[in-house]
Amino acid sequence: MTLYRIGELSKAAHISERTIDYYTKLGLITPELRSIKNYRLYSHETLAALERINQLKQEKYTLEEIKSLMSKWNSATPEADVSDRLVELEVHMQQLEREVKALEPIISQLKPGQAHTALTNLLPQGLACMEAIRLLLTQGPPM
């Protein structure tokens, strides 16, 4: 198992040591263990978590939202593939909601014919997604 000291992790993740300290204090990441000289040592999984955090920050999630999402991801067991997929869907739906809110000023300025065309094109895809989620939730995982 490869373990990183904070400076090594900082270089590998392309973020500052101060940011790593901050994320550790917030509970977004935790050191795997401490060295004999009391250095915090982080695992490769922490590096992957930092990459997820950066991705979510780019998608405009707050650190509190990121902490909540990561908590859900970390609480999932290997057998909980359905839970993992639902969390991914939740993240995706939240991103879509953000995008819709960003588009609201543009949508409100559409002419009725343009709005009708946009709705006609988007509605079947949205309904198919909702139906897939409904089936997943009502039928449960395959046996």
Side-chain angles (χ1 to χ4, degrees):
M1 172 194 276
T2 303
L3 294 175
Y4 303 92
R5 291 192 342 202
I6 193 167
E8 297 166 332
L9 183 64
S10 170
K11 287 178 185 171
H14 307 291
I15 61 173
S16 71
E17 292 179 26
R18 192 170 175 191
T19 300
I20 293 172
D21 279 335
Y22 185 60
Y23 290 170
T24 302
K25 287 177 185 168
L26 289 176
L28 287 170
I29 59 173
T30 55
E32 192 72 26
L33 53 98
R34 288 197 176 256
S35 70
I36 295 171
K37 293 184 178 184
N38 206 29
Y39 290 118
R40 287 173 287 175
L41 299 174
Y42 296 91
S43 67
H44 184 71
E45 288 78 18
T46 304
L47 182 58
L50 288 171
E51 290 169 358
R52 276 187 295 212
I53 291 168
N54 284 333
Q55 179 185 8
L56 291 169
K57 280 178 59 181
Q58 288 176 355
E59 294 175 6
K60 307 294 187 222
Y61 285 92
T62 66
L63 290 177
E64 195 59 39
E65 290 171 326
I66 292 171
K67 185 176 180 179
S68 173
L69 291 170
M70 293 189 67
S71 173
K72 290 177 186 177
W73 287 332
N74 292 336
S75 67
T77 61
E79 303 86 36
D81 292 334
V82 172
S83 295
D84 289 344
R85 186 65 186 135
L86 288 174
V87 169
E88 289 174 20
L89 287 171
E90 180 182 353
V91 169
H92 188 67
M93 287 173 58
Q94 288 173 353
Q95 178 62 28
L96 290 173
E97 287 173 4
R98 290 172 195 266
E99 291 175 12
V100 166
K101 284 182 183 177
L103 289 172
E104 281 178 353
I106 297 168
I107 292 171
S108 67
Q109 295 176 1
L110 289 177
K111 295 177 183 172
Q114 293 171 321
H116 177 74
T117 301
L119 181 63
T120 303
N121 290 331
L122 293 175
L123 197 56
Q125 295 167 347
L127 290 174
C129 289
M130 288 187 279
E131 180 64 14
I133 292 169
R134 186 190 67 75
L135 287 172
L136 180 64
L137 292 174
T138 57
Q139 294 177 355
M143 298 274 177

